[in-house]
Amino acid sequence: MIEDVLKTEKKHVDIELEKYFNRLYKTEKDVLLKDFITQLEGFVMNKKAKRIHPILLNAAFSGVVNPMYIDDQIDQIREVSIAVELLHSGHLIHDDLLDDDDMRRGKPSFHTQLKNELNQIYKDIDIHRKDELIMSYGRNMSILGGTQGYLLGLDILKSTKFPKKIKLLAINEYTKAMDFLLKGQLVEEYMKYNNITMTLEQYLNIAELQRARLFEKSSKIGAILAKGNIHYQINPLSEAMLSIGQAHAIRDDIIDLEHDIKAKNHSKIIYILAIQNTDEDQSKILNELYHKENLTKNDISTVKDIFTKTNALMIAEHLAKNLVEQAKNTLKEIYPDLNREQKVFFNEFSEFVYDRKF
C-alpha cells in the first residue's frame, strides 16, 4: 500500500535530516549559531512532517536511473533529497510569519517557538517595551531562518558528488523552485493588503507557485540526477507532478474545510467557488458570517450548507479528480518507462493525493 511506502521512505528522510543537522552542529564553531541550528532543527524535525518532496525526488531518481546502478547510488540520492525538504521548511517558516500563524503541525511555528524561548529568558526581568522586543526577535529571526533553509538546501546540491553538468541543471531547477515560492508569497500578500478579491484563476496560479511547482521541481531534480531524457522522461514526469501538486492543494482545502471556515479564510477554493454561485440571500449570509468575530457551531453548519447548495465542494472535488486523471495520463507518455516499482508508486501516489483524509 502507498501509505506503507510513504511511511518507510519518510523514515529514511528523517534519518538523513538528523545526520545532516548533527554534522552542521559539529562543524559550526560559533556558540550562537549552534543555538540557532538547534532551533531550526527543532522546527524541521517535527514528527508530523510528511516529507513528500524528498520522497518524490528519490522516487523520480529511482524510477529513471539504470537499475544496475541504483544500489550504488541510493544513499547518495537520499542525502541530496533533503535539500528540497529544507527549501520547503524555509518556505513554511516565512509563510507562518506572513500569516501570523502560531502553530505548525501541532507545534509552535518557528517565530512563535523563538518568541516563547525569549519570553522565558525575560520572564523575571523588567525590560522597557519587552513585548515589542520579543515580537521583533521572533519576526527577524524567522526571516533569517527561512532564508537560511533555502541556502542550506542549495549548499547540499552544490556539495553533491554527481557530475558537474547534471549538478548545475539540478541547481537551476532548485533556484527556479525558490523563485516560484517567493513569487507566490508576493502575489498573495499583495492581494491581501490591497484588498483584492481572489478569483479561481488567481487561486490556481498561487496554488501552482506555492505548492505544485515544488512537487514538479522535486521530481525533476531527481530525474535530472538520474540522467533521464529531458523530452521523453523528465518533462512528462514533471508535468504530471505539477498536476498532482495542484490536486494536492485543492484536496488540502477540502480536508481543512472546517478550520478554514472558523478562520474566515477568503482565499480557499471552496469559498471562491461558492461566492461565484450564491444567490443574493446566500451571498449576504456568507458576508455577514465572515465578518463576525467568532463563529458558532450553527454558523459553521450554515456556511457548510451554502457550500453544498452552491455545489462548491462538489466542483472542487471534481477539479482535483480531473487533475489526478490528467497526471496519470501524462505518466503514460514517459519513454523509456519508469522502473516497475516506481511506476506503481507514482500511479498509486496520484490516487492517494485525491483519496487521502489528512
Side-chain angles (χ1 to χ4, degrees):
M1 288 179 64
I2 186 66
E3 289 92 340
D4 294 330
V5 175
L6 292 172
K7 191 179 294 184
T8 300
E9 289 303 313
K10 172 181 155 43
K11 287 179 182 177
H12 287 301
V13 175
D14 285 339
I15 289 169
E16 290 303 328
L17 282 167
E18 193 171 334
K19 284 160 54 178
Y20 173 75
F21 277 111
N22 283 339
R23 288 196 304 271
L24 199 63
Y25 186 86
K26 286 177 182 177
T27 54
E28 181 53 61
K29 305 299 182 186
D30 190 293
V31 66
L32 297 179
L33 290 177
K34 279 180 175 288
D35 183 68
F36 181 77
I37 290 167
T38 302
Q39 293 283 0
L40 188 61
E41 180 183 11
F43 177 80
V44 174
M45 296 304 297
N46 189 308
K47 291 181 180 179
K48 290 187 178 180
K50 300 182 183 75
R51 313 300 188 206
I52 288 175
H53 304 98
I55 290 172
L56 289 177
L57 191 154
N58 286 329
F61 179 88
S62 301
V64 172
V65 75
N66 187 324
M68 291 175 58
Y69 305 125
I70 185 63
D71 289 340
D72 295 333
Q73 294 185 298
I74 190 64
D75 289 339
Q76 187 180 3
I77 197 63
R78 280 180 176 152
E79 288 179 9
V80 172
S81 72
I82 63 171
V84 291
E85 185 65 22
L86 292 170
L87 172 58
H88 177 55
S89 295
H91 173 247
L92 294 181
I93 289 171
H94 284 165
D95 199 50
D96 288 342
L97 180 64
L98 291 171
D99 293 342
D100 197 25
D101 285 333
D102 292 332
M103 302 295 290
R104 167 66 63 177
R105 298 165 176 159
K107 288 190 173 183
S109 54
F110 191 66
H111 66 276
T112 304
Q113 172 186 315
L114 290 163
K115 287 190 295 184
N116 290 346
E117 183 195 63
L118 195 63
N119 199 38
Q120 280 297 111
I121 293 171
Y122 286 165
K123 184 173 61 174
D124 299 319
I125 303 173
D126 187 22
I127 296 178
H128 179 58
R129 298 165 73 180
K130 182 165 68 175
D131 290 344
E132 185 180 330
L133 181 68
I134 291 170
M135 287 286 291
S136 296
Y137 176 73
R139 181 193 65 230
N140 295 347
M141 294 297 278
S142 290
I143 292 170
L144 296 169
T147 306
Q148 184 72 354
Y150 298 157
L151 295 175
L152 289 174
L154 181 59
D155 187 61
I156 288 171
L157 280 175
K158 286 167 59 182
S159 304
T160 183
K161 295 176 182 177
F162 283 94
K164 185 176 180 180
K165 184 178 179 180
I166 62 171
K167 185 197 297 189
L168 288 173
L169 290 172
I171 288 171
N172 184 49
E173 296 304 323
Y174 182 94
T175 56
K176 284 181 182 177
M178 187 162 54
D179 184 52
F180 283 130
L181 290 172
L182 293 172
K183 283 178 177 174
Q185 286 178 317
L186 284 167
V187 171
E188 191 169 23
E189 290 301 298
Y190 191 93
M191 292 186 69
K192 181 167 69 176
Y193 286 102
N194 285 275
N195 200 28
I196 299 172
T197 302
M198 190 175 292
T199 64
L200 179 59
E201 182 181 3
Q202 288 164 330
Y203 168 89
L204 292 173
N205 180 46
I206 291 171
E208 176 182 327
L209 292 170
Q210 292 209 62
R211 306 289 291 282
R213 282 294 176 182
L214 193 49
F215 274 58
E216 181 241 335
K217 295 304 178 189
S218 297
S219 304
K220 195 167 189 177
I221 290 169
I224 286 171
L225 293 174
K227 301 180 181 178
N229 182 289
I230 187 68
H231 297 293
Y232 302 112
Q233 290 180 306
I234 296 174
N235 284 348
L237 179 58
S238 301
E239 186 181 331
M241 288 304 102
L242 185 61
S243 297
I244 289 300
Q246 289 172 316
H248 193 276
I250 294 170
R251 187 63 190 163
D252 272 351
D253 283 4
I254 294 170
I255 293 168
D256 296 337
L257 178 60
E258 186 159 329
H259 174 271
D260 291 332
I261 292 172
K262 289 177 181 176
K264 291 163 284 187
N265 196 324
H266 295 75
S267 62
K268 300 298 181 178
I269 191 169
I270 299 169
Y271 177 86
I272 294 166
L273 290 168
I275 286 296
Q276 292 179 348
N277 295 298
T278 52
D279 59 29
E280 188 176 340
D281 289 338
Q282 290 170 330
S283 180
K284 183 181 178 182
I285 292 168
L286 278 182
N287 185 56
E288 288 174 354
L289 291 178
Y290 270 64
H291 283 87
K292 194 174 176 181
E293 188 169 349
N294 293 304
L295 298 180
T296 65
K297 286 184 178 180
N298 285 338
D299 292 335
I300 293 168
S301 295
T302 300
V303 173
K304 284 183 177 179
D305 186 55
I306 292 173
F307 286 170
T308 301
K309 287 179 178 177
T310 55
N311 294 321
L313 190 56
M314 183 184 71
I315 295 169
E317 287 175 342
H318 279 308
L319 183 54
K321 184 64 174 176
N322 288 340
L323 285 164
V324 167
E325 291 304 317
Q326 182 179 313
K328 289 170 69 177
N329 287 331
T330 307
L331 287 171
K332 294 175 184 176
E333 298 174 11
I334 297 173
Y335 182 83
D337 207 348
L338 297 172
N339 297 327
R340 187 176 63 83
E341 190 176 327
Q342 279 67 43
K343 182 178 180 179
V344 171
F345 168 83
F346 278 108
N347 277 283
E348 288 189 356
F349 178 72
S350 300
E351 289 290 344
F352 169 77
V353 163
Y354 178 76
D355 293 332
R356 67 195 173 94
K357 306 298 181 187
F358 58 91

